[in-house]
Amino acid sequence: PIFPADTSNPQPGEWTPYANKLLVAPRLGELLSKWRDLPHTARRTRDVLTRLLEALVRYKQLVVLQMQQERKKKQEEEEKKRREQQQLRQLQLQREQEKALKE
């Protein structure tokens, strides 16, 4: 945006679905690169396409990083839950053994 504080700028919820669609669009980068590299493509259009391609690459890197972080967090939560369940089972077993020894 020209004016970052402009309230008419689209909010992330408004543009994110479209950006995500562009990431999974087959051969989009190839198509934009070909368009950019055509001899009759105007210089300003080439510049815009170059910036768009760079922005798509950066956005994809951010999305991949976010997905990796979410996956790691989920794995850590599952591991924590598994350890807690294992500790609970061991505690129950220990109580049962103590109870059996008392009888």
Side-chain angles (χ1 to χ4, degrees):
I2 297 173
F3 304 106
D6 188 351
T7 56
S8 67
N9 287 336
Q11 299 301 311
E14 296 171 327
W15 59 262
T16 302
Y18 299 105
N20 290 338
K21 286 180 184 178
L22 289 175
L23 288 181
V24 297
R27 300 178 47 217
L28 176 70
E30 180 184 335
L31 179 65
L32 292 174
S33 295
K34 283 182 180 179
W35 182 20
R36 177 194 62 197
D37 298 337
L38 288 174
H40 62 272
T41 300
R43 179 145 183 87
R44 287 191 68 194
T45 302
R46 282 190 190 138
D47 293 343
V48 169
L49 288 170
T50 298
R51 289 196 315 268
L52 175 60
L53 286 163
E54 291 169 354
L56 282 172
V57 168
R58 284 191 310 273
Y59 182 70
K60 184 174 186 175
Q61 290 170 341
L62 288 173
V63 168
V64 168
L65 179 62
Q66 183 180 13
M67 288 173 54
Q68 288 172 340
Q69 289 173 340
E70 289 173 2
R71 190 177 307 121
K72 183 178 178 183
K73 183 179 177 183
K74 184 177 179 181
Q75 288 173 343
E76 288 171 351
E77 289 172 356
E78 289 173 355
E79 179 63 26
K80 181 180 176 184
K81 185 177 179 180
R82 188 188 63 74
R83 276 184 279 148
E84 288 173 351
Q85 289 175 346
Q86 187 177 14
Q87 288 174 347
L88 182 60
R89 275 190 240 116
Q90 287 176 347
L91 184 60
Q92 288 173 341
L93 243 147
Q94 188 178 16
R95 286 182 183 165
E96 288 174 7
Q97 289 175 348
E98 289 173 359
K99 186 177 178 181
L101 287 174
K102 287 181 183 179
E103 293 176 352

